[in-house]
Amino acid sequence: MPFPTPTPADKFTFGLWTVGWQARDPFGDATRPPLDPVESVHRLAELGAYGVTFHDDDLIPFGADADERAKQITRFKEALEATGMKVPMATTNTFTHPVFKDGAFTSNDRDIRRYAIRKIMRNLDLAAELGAETYVFWGGREGAEIDAAKNVGDALSRYKEGLDLLCQYVIDQGYGLRFAIEPKPNEPRGDILLPTIGHALAFINELEHSEMVGLNPEVGHEQMAGLNFVHGVAQALWHGKLFHIDLNGQHGPKFDQDLVFGHGDLLSAFFLVDLLESEGYDGPRHFDYKPMRTEDIDGVWASAAANMRTYILLREKAAAFRADPRVQAALEASRVDGTLVPTLAHGETYHDLVADVDATFDVEAAGARGYSYAQLDQLAVEHLLGTA
Amino acid sequence: MPFPTPTPADKFTFGLWTVGWQARDPFGDATRPPLDPVESVHRLAELGAYGVTFHDDDLIPFGADADERAKQITRFKEALEATGMKVPMATTNTFTHPVFKDGAFTSNDRDIRRYAIRKIMRNLDLAAELGAETYVFWGGREGAEIDAAKNVGDALSRYKEGLDLLCQYVIDQGYGLRFAIEPKPNEPRGDILLPTIGHALAFINELEHSEMVGLNPEVGHEQMAGLNFVHGVAQALWHGKLFHIDLNGQHGPKFDQDLVFGHGDLLSAFFLVDLLESEGYDGPRHFDYKPMRTEDIDGVWASAAANMRTYILLREKAAAFRADPRVQAALEASRVDGTLVPTLAHGETYHDLVADVDATFDVEAAGARGYSYAQLDQLAVEHLLGTA
Amino acid sequence: MPFPTPTPADKFTFGLWTVGWQARDPFGDATRPPLDPVESVHRLAELGAYGVTFHDDDLIPFGADADERAKQITRFKEALEATGMKVPMATTNTFTHPVFKDGAFTSNDRDIRRYAIRKIMRNLDLAAELGAETYVFWGGREGAEIDAAKNVGDALSRYKEGLDLLCQYVIDQGYGLRFAIEPKPNEPRGDILLPTIGHALAFINELEHSEMVGLNPEVGHEQMAGLNFVHGVAQALWHGKLFHIDLNGQHGPKFDQDLVFGHGDLLSAFFLVDLLESEGYDGPRHFDYKPMRTEDIDGVWASAAANMRTYILLREKAAAFRADPRVQAALEASRVDGTLVPTLAHGETYHDLVADVDATFDVEAAGARGYSYAQLDQLAVEHLLGTA
Amino acid sequence: MPFPTPTPADKFTFGLWTVGWQARDPFGDATRPPLDPVESVHRLAELGAYGVTFHDDDLIPFGADADERAKQITRFKEALEATGMKVPMATTNTFTHPVFKDGAFTSNDRDIRRYAIRKIMRNLDLAAELGAETYVFWGGREGAEIDAAKNVGDALSRYKEGLDLLCQYVIDQGYGLRFAIEPKPNEPRGDILLPTIGHALAFINELEHSEMVGLNPEVGHEQMAGLNFVHGVAQALWHGKLFHIDLNGQHGPKFDQDLVFGHGDLLSAFFLVDLLESEGYDGPRHFDYKPMRTEDIDGVWASAAANMRTYILLREKAAAFRADPRVQAALEASRVDGTLVPTLAHGETYHDLVADVDATFDVEAAGARGYSYAQLDQLAVEHLLGTA
């Protein structure tokens, strides 16, 4: 297979904090020097990316004065203009500074909650100015280590209050931004509020402007809870709430690994790409990974390219899988399309259903049917391996 | 502490399938003989329980004819009358028979989905007749082992269709039943749809009669995904959706253990009881556990009693914890009530907030504050240990 | 890639209990009828397998009399002879009958321990008669749900006593059998003794005849504890203790899934095959999987074939990976062979080392080196995908 | 229960890095200022601790010159002398500096392995000078994120070479030190070599001076793999290898939480203390925890005290549990002492055993016996709760 080069049409994006991660971990100091965001924009553009995303503090050092702020924004814009790179998403750092140690929207301290909202508003202005369409909320510090520490119900009310206020701000300003909540079960807090795709979807329903709030699910975050990411994304799509997505790799329940996309559960990555492509998801394919701490700057760029290569390869394999007549036959044998058909016929009542079932259904015969999933799964594996 | 005896006022209930479990597991044959539901009712009543719950097939053998059905129902009603035991909840077995191997509401086979609905309708009639208030849906077979096997979006549509139809049936019949979905991440399927409290809450919002559908969360099911059960229940309460609860014990992500309540994560059980009691949850305290396979019938009844004893002990400890002035001081030091106060003052706008924060907030000083959680947690541990 | 057909030279073997699993699970009845071992032998032979393995009770129903026993053995031998299939491994069922509910070697009841040993001795005779080289011990019931229930030190002493006695028996009889312990962390017991490869390796060192006891690690069992199976097998090889291996698939910490080999963590399966082949492991490639409960008998045979196909495909890919000059260059860039060289030079003392390090080592320069693992890993992924 | 104050006789020790942790985590900056080791010694002494332990770099800043080194050692010794505090254990930091990013003993780079050994030798001298009896090896960087990156067998050979050399060094110098390996499954590496108690025990058997190398297991590390810590420690004791122990708390498979002892799985902590006390473990009770990031310095000292209080409370409860005649009766009903008795009688052969079993054993009757574990477990829970 001749390997296609990524192009902006693929809509691959990277957080500045990904390639720019200095590889400081809970037990070790940084192994790489800081990376100038301007350089990241240029290098990622050369590699074929569509855009970059950022936390406020990735671009403008925390506590910078107005001049420094203006200077960094100008440099960044120039790099975007020079390269044609977009900024489809932005977000706020409400987790690094000690002030957020008990949360931002849900800190027990009201003045800290207010400060967090103010910090977010400032970056919403910049996000809008840079043309972002999605604004992400990862509430990494919204949570607790001990159950007595947080009144979860009240904390959710404050979470809602904060998001309602910010929705109103975006509406009032006429910013074309939608919000996307990024769930995570734990780390850095012992337990984080809105721990999964499901919890966040449920929460969104309680918001004043729930229509403008969706999800930014991340592969590794769901897999840290042992959940099936493909199922989670499918449910988010079913609710019309897949606003953005974070692609990376993880090896099950352990610390947040942020591996290259596909370098964790490869079979799941295949079915994820298959789902995104077949459902027509048209947002950015955003890589939220961390180059391993062992890598130097060459490894950083190699790993950035690896994310995109893997996605393209899986996309091609998914297309070939769906086009293969043997796969279509296997899907038919497994009656996978059976769930497309409503259970009740048009105009049928439950009385009709009861009468029909009682008259016609042979439970033992139905129980004896096989589903041919073994054959279907092996076809998928062999397509993935490039041997089908 | 003189040990109080459970009484019906405690609202302790047990599934017939709990004490009646014959201890057949994936690698072993039954170690206990069948238990007559009538005997279970009598013995649980003697132990101080408030009621029992059942799957249709717990009471009436699968495939029984009308006479056998009538006979079993009569015997059961007599036992209830003799003991004063209630049946506050019932549910359907849509998982044991091979016909459900690919699901009930979401089977790829439409005729099986129809049969499942018909089976549920029949037991809804019985549940209503027996005075049940809650009808539980545990979709243990709604799921898949392989990602190609199930179109999750379509499956969720069929899930919704099934529940919508059954809601309408209950409304039409004038049954006073509410529905409660019981989430579980996996086992017996590799991945189950609606795997957590969050996913089920989100799904409920899409139902025609979402107001009559809530949750029946189970301790072990959330803990199998490494999630904080207390947080999950608190979120369910926040949404007004805690309709019922399954209490048991689990040791983290592994097979579903169904241990006695408190015999897994005891500290979490303490905070769970604290939450239920302080939030005024007034539904049944339903034990969905399995007496260990090593136990004979004496161990069965001992374990049933153990569930109730542990709950009462934790309830007393939670009350003492909340009443202790040292705890109240510790909560104040931790500002736990801080989330009660809205972040925006009455009448305040976000413009006001920005002006106020910019003028007054000292981020370094706020970042230096400690939250005294260590002290609070140790007080909780010592209350739990009976030594505070 | 023209797909090669498995042949006996591949040494693929299957437990009779794998294809013969009737798909009874903790929440469901059997979905498939019993499968005659004779049929399994024939069908697996047709598919290209090298042999079968068995528990005593797979072949001879528990409690069968001498005639029935003789009859079943004769039929089985005839099938082996007719097909040329081998029986390289056998094992004992010490887990299904209620008598083993508290363990076999480590039951609290001495008479049950004695019965277990007697049951094993009987099957050792048959294993030897059938030409088996390896006898497996999976102690699925050796464990506990509660910590007070088992004196672990004493239980390990009884475990050792049992194995020592059985080693002596095998020596005395002149059987050419070696023993292989199969670790598992939990299920069906809450916690199983010797839960991982490591614990079993350590235990073996305490045995009288430790030289004749090694391991039979299983993919899914280590992955249920979130452990890296490739690392575990590499350590077993390092100790000279990889006597046999159980191949299957698993999705991380949850119930024991026993999926088809490669249908769980595919990247790990690739590196496992790479390790086995490059280290010259020459024992059976034994599939200890369960055809999914959704499958009928066609799915059973399809899944059996899938295990072998996946192994062959991965073996070919591993060979291509190792032969690829780009991979060799990447391994060199990562200095992977660096651990081959002793840390101390021949004849060097630690005094020399100290003097040398103090004189020559530049810690900052060494800390700045990159390891090029990102490049190496992507090459592996692309080889696996068939696109490198 | 009047609460006893910890005294040095309790042998409670703390790492300087525990109370001294500045609370820098993967997503956040430090929330606490550096803590002078001298202050830690004084404060811990006031709280009733027996001693402190240290990594070289905790005491002497990495890269300090000889004068600075001497000065810090002198100050530390003065604090020890002033307080009577001991240093029963020391260890080396081979994980923070970038040079160790691919490992210390097992780095692919030989010069880095040599540097690591040299760094350890220097601190062995200081450990011996300060009277330490145990020297711990936590190989947090010995591992990999990707399977191609490390030849595990060769890496284990280098690991062994390093430890063999250091054993010889200690012997040659006449230091009274024993080594203790501290296993951990992952974090900061994706997978760490010697991931569990079992793997480390097995490895030790291959060392030249295996008699002087044992284990330093840590509560949370085993629980990160979902393993039963009490079982693991019991196995380590059975091998005579429990040289030291790290006590803390964890909530199952997730990032390394290092909570206060007992603030994770409290029931397991109870049985751990019960085991240590009943088996006569006489080494330090070493707390390797991290004060939560939310805490200020008062929270640090409160959490240090909490560890000791919890241990003492559990010790008292364990003693009461063992002394309670009801518990003794329950243990008898469960036949827990049954594993004390050899399975073969003195002088009995396996022929005798076979004859006896065949003549006398009634498998169905034995299978019907109950083990009364439910009753025993509830007694334990109620003792723990202080209500038995």
Side-chain angles (χ1 to χ4, degrees), chain C residues 101-102 109 111 113-114 118 158 161 172 206 239 339 341 343 348 350 356 358 367 369 373, chain D residues 101-102 111 113-114 118 158 161 172 206 239 335 339 341 343 348 350 356 358 367 369 373:
Chain C
K101 63 193 170 198
D102 187 53
D109 287 336
D111 61 341
R113 300 197 299 267
R114 291 165 65 89
R118 197 274 173 271
R158 297 291 74 75
E161 185 189 6
D172 292 352
E206 308 290 336
H239 289 277
T339 48
V341 186
T343 303
E348 199 182 23
Y350 50 72
D356 175 56
D358 288 352
R369 286 178 210 150
Y373 290 152
Chain D
K101 64 192 170 200
D102 187 53
D111 62 341
R113 300 197 299 267
R114 291 165 65 87
R118 196 273 174 273
R158 298 290 76 74
E161 185 188 7
D172 291 351
E206 308 291 335
H239 290 277
R335 290 95 73 195
T339 48
V341 185
T343 303
E348 199 181 23
Y350 49 73
D356 175 55
D358 289 352
R369 286 178 210 149
Y373 291 153

Side-chain angles (χ1 to χ4, degrees), chain A residues 201-217:
Chain A
L201 285 169
F203 172 76
I204 289 168
N205 274 298
E206 308 290 336
L207 299 180
E208 290 284 318
H209 296 282
S210 59
E211 74 289 350
M212 66 182 277
V213 185
L215 283 196
N216 178 44

Side-chain angles (χ1 to χ4, degrees), chain C residues 188-266:
Chain C
R189 301 308 299 271
D191 295 290
I192 298 179
L193 300 177
L194 310 181
T196 75
I197 286 174
H199 295 77
L201 285 169
F203 172 76
I204 289 168
N205 274 298
E206 308 290 336
L207 300 179
E208 289 285 318
H209 297 283
S210 60
E211 73 290 349
M212 66 182 277
V213 185
L215 284 195
N216 178 44
E218 176 167 326
V219 174
H221 292 182
E222 303 300 307
Q223 293 179 347
M224 287 168 70
L227 298 176
N228 184 317
F229 187 66
V230 180
H231 282 203
V233 170
Q235 183 168 352
L237 283 163
W238 186 72
H239 289 277
K241 288 297 189 190
L242 187 71
F243 283 14
H244 200 264
I245 193 162
D246 275 1
L247 303 173
N248 60 19
Q250 174 76 13
H251 289 294
K254 58 172 66 166
F255 73 98
D256 187 11
Q257 295 192 277
D258 284 333
L259 299 169
V260 165
F261 180 58
H263 291 206
D265 183 338
L266 186 57

Side-chain angles (χ1 to χ4, degrees), chain A residues 114-115 117-122 125 165-166 169, chain B residues 344 348-361:
Chain A
R114 291 165 64 89
Y115 170 69
I117 288 169
R118 197 274 173 270
K119 188 170 193 285
I120 295 165
M121 287 171 68
R122 178 178 284 137
D125 298 343
L165 184 155
L166 292 167
Y169 179 72
Chain B
L344 223 56
E348 198 181 24
T349 68
Y350 49 72
H351 298 295
D352 300 333
L353 177 146
V354 169
D356 175 55
V357 170
D358 288 352
T360 67
F361 189 67

Side-chain angles (χ1 to χ4, degrees), chain C residues 67-287:
Chain C
D67 282 357
E68 173 73 8
R69 178 179 174 87
K71 186 183 127 198
Q72 294 302 338
I73 293 172
T74 301
R75 293 182 67 239
F76 186 56
K77 282 182 176 170
E78 288 168 357
L80 295 172
E81 196 163 344
T83 56
M85 292 277 276
K86 306 297 181 202
V87 180
M89 183 270 269
T91 182
T92 327
N93 184 325
T94 49
F95 46 86
T96 297
H97 192 279
V99 76
F100 300 121
K101 63 193 170 198
D102 187 53
F105 285 126
T106 67
S107 171
N108 284 354
D109 287 336
R110 180 172 176 266
D111 61 341
I112 292 173
R113 300 197 299 267
R114 291 165 65 89
Y115 170 70
I117 289 169
R118 197 274 173 271
K119 189 171 194 283
I120 295 165
M121 286 171 68
R122 178 177 284 138
N123 205 44
L124 281 167
D125 298 343
L126 178 57
E129 181 184 342
L130 295 171
E133 295 160 354
T134 306
Y135 201 87
V136 163
F137 294 87
W138 173 61
R141 296 280 174 204
E142 321 290 357
E145 286 69 40
I146 70 166
D147 287 344
K150 195 63 63 178
N151 185 324
V152 171
D154 293 338
L156 291 173
S157 292
R158 297 291 74 75
Y159 216 149
K160 168 178 155 52
E161 185 189 6
L163 285 171
D164 285 348
L165 185 153
L166 292 167
C167 281
Q168 193 59 53
Y169 179 72
V170 163
I171 292 167
D172 292 352
Q173 303 298 317
Y175 295 158
L177 286 165
R178 295 195 303 179
F179 289 175
I181 295 176
E182 179 178 329
K184 189 177 182 187
N186 59 258
E187 200 208 53
R189 301 308 299 271
D191 295 290
I192 298 179
L193 300 177
L194 310 181
T196 75
I197 286 174
H199 295 77
L201 285 169
F203 172 76
I204 289 168
N205 274 298
E206 308 290 336
L207 300 179
E208 289 285 318
H209 297 283
S210 60
E211 73 290 349
M212 66 182 277
V213 185
L215 284 195
N216 178 44
E218 176 167 326
V219 174
H221 292 182
E222 303 300 307
Q223 293 179 347
M224 287 168 70
L227 298 176
N228 184 317
F229 187 66
V230 180
H231 282 203
V233 170
Q235 183 168 352
L237 283 163
W238 186 72
H239 289 277
K241 288 297 189 190
L242 187 71
F243 283 14
H244 200 264
I245 193 162
D246 275 1
L247 303 173
N248 60 19
Q250 174 76 13
H251 289 294
K254 58 172 66 166
F255 73 98
D256 187 11
Q257 295 192 277
D258 284 333
L259 299 169
V260 165
F261 180 58
H263 291 206
D265 183 338
L266 186 57
L267 203 43
S268 175
F270 170 71
F271 281 111
L272 175 64
V273 172
D274 176 59
L275 178 73
L276 293 175
E277 298 296 326
S278 66
E279 293 284 330
Y281 168 76
D282 65 356
R285 275 69 175 160
H286 183 247
F287 300 108

Side-chain angles (χ1 to χ4, degrees), chain B residues 29-329:
Chain B
D29 288 342
T31 68
R32 291 188 292 263
L35 190 60
D36 184 343
V38 166
E39 183 179 352
S40 295
V41 169
H42 281 277
R43 292 303 304 267
L44 290 168
E46 288 164 23
L47 291 173
Y50 168 76
V52 292
T53 66
F54 70 98
H55 300 90
D56 46 359
D57 302 344
D58 298 335
L59 200 56
I60 305 145
F62 184 89
D65 62 20
D67 282 357
E68 173 73 9
R69 179 179 173 86
K71 186 183 126 197
Q72 294 301 337
I73 292 171
T74 301
R75 292 183 67 237
F76 186 56
K77 283 183 177 170
E78 288 168 357
L80 295 173
E81 196 164 345
T83 56
M85 291 276 276
K86 306 297 182 202
V87 180
M89 183 269 271
T91 181
T92 328
N93 184 326
T94 50
F95 46 86
T96 297
H97 192 279
V99 76
F100 300 121
K101 64 193 171 200
D102 188 53
F105 285 125
T106 68
S107 171
N108 284 353
D109 288 335
R110 180 171 176 269
D111 62 341
I112 292 173
R113 300 198 298 266
R114 290 165 65 89
Y115 171 69
I117 288 169
R118 196 276 173 270
K119 189 170 194 284
I120 295 164
M121 286 171 68
R122 177 177 286 136
N123 205 44
L124 281 168
D125 298 342
L126 179 56
E129 180 183 343
L130 294 172
E133 294 159 356
T134 306
Y135 202 86
V136 163
F137 293 87
W138 172 62
R141 296 279 174 203
E142 321 290 357
E145 286 70 40
I146 72 166
D147 287 344
K150 195 64 61 179
N151 186 323
V152 170
D154 293 337
L156 292 173
S157 293
R158 298 289 77 73
Y159 217 150
K160 167 177 156 55
E161 184 188 7
L163 285 171
D164 285 348
L165 184 154
L166 293 166
C167 281
Q168 193 58 54
Y169 179 73
V170 163
I171 291 167
D172 291 352
Q173 302 298 316
Y175 294 159
L177 285 166
R178 294 197 303 179
F179 288 175
I181 295 177
E182 178 177 329
K184 189 178 182 186
N186 60 259
E187 200 208 55
R189 301 309 298 271
D191 295 290
I192 298 179
L193 299 178
L194 311 182
T196 75
I197 286 175
H199 296 76
L201 285 170
F203 171 77
I204 290 167
N205 274 298
E206 308 291 334
L207 299 179
E208 289 285 318
H209 296 282
S210 59
E211 74 289 351
M212 67 182 275
V213 186
L215 283 196
N216 178 43
E218 176 166 325
V219 173
H221 291 181
E222 303 300 307
Q223 293 180 347
M224 288 169 70
L227 298 176
N228 183 318
F229 188 65
V230 180
H231 283 203
V233 171
Q235 183 169 352
L237 284 163
W238 186 71
H239 290 276
K241 289 298 189 189
L242 187 70
F243 283 12
H244 199 264
I245 193 162
D246 275 1
L247 302 173
N248 59 18
Q250 173 76 14
H251 288 294
K254 59 171 65 167
F255 74 99
D256 187 11
Q257 295 193 277
D258 284 333
L259 298 169
V260 166
F261 180 58
H263 291 207
D265 184 338
L266 185 56
L267 203 43
S268 174
F270 169 71
F271 281 110
L272 175 64
V273 172
D274 176 58
L275 178 73
L276 293 175
E277 298 295 327
S278 66
E279 293 284 329
Y281 169 76
D282 64 357
R285 275 68 175 162
H286 182 247
F287 299 108
D288 188 1
Y289 85 112
K290 290 197 173 80
M292 290 181 284
R293 189 171 175 272
T294 48
E295 304 306 289
D296 60 15
I297 193 67
D298 290 341
V300 168
W301 302 122
S303 63
N307 280 292
M308 297 188 282
R309 290 173 66 91
T310 303
Y311 192 96
I312 292 173
L313 289 169
L314 295 178
R315 188 178 62 202
E316 293 181 352
K317 282 169 181 293
F321 177 70
R322 293 291 161 187
D324 183 346
R326 291 170 306 158
V327 172
Q328 290 160 5

Side-chain angles (χ1 to χ4, degrees), chain D residues 21 32 50 58 109 111 124 190 216 230 239 251 274 279 324 347 350 353 362 380 388:
Chain D
W21 186 54
R32 292 188 291 263
Y50 169 75
D58 298 335
D109 288 335
D111 62 341
L124 281 168
N216 178 44
V230 179
H239 290 277
H251 288 295
D274 175 59
E279 293 285 330
D324 183 345
Y350 49 73
L353 177 146
D362 178 344

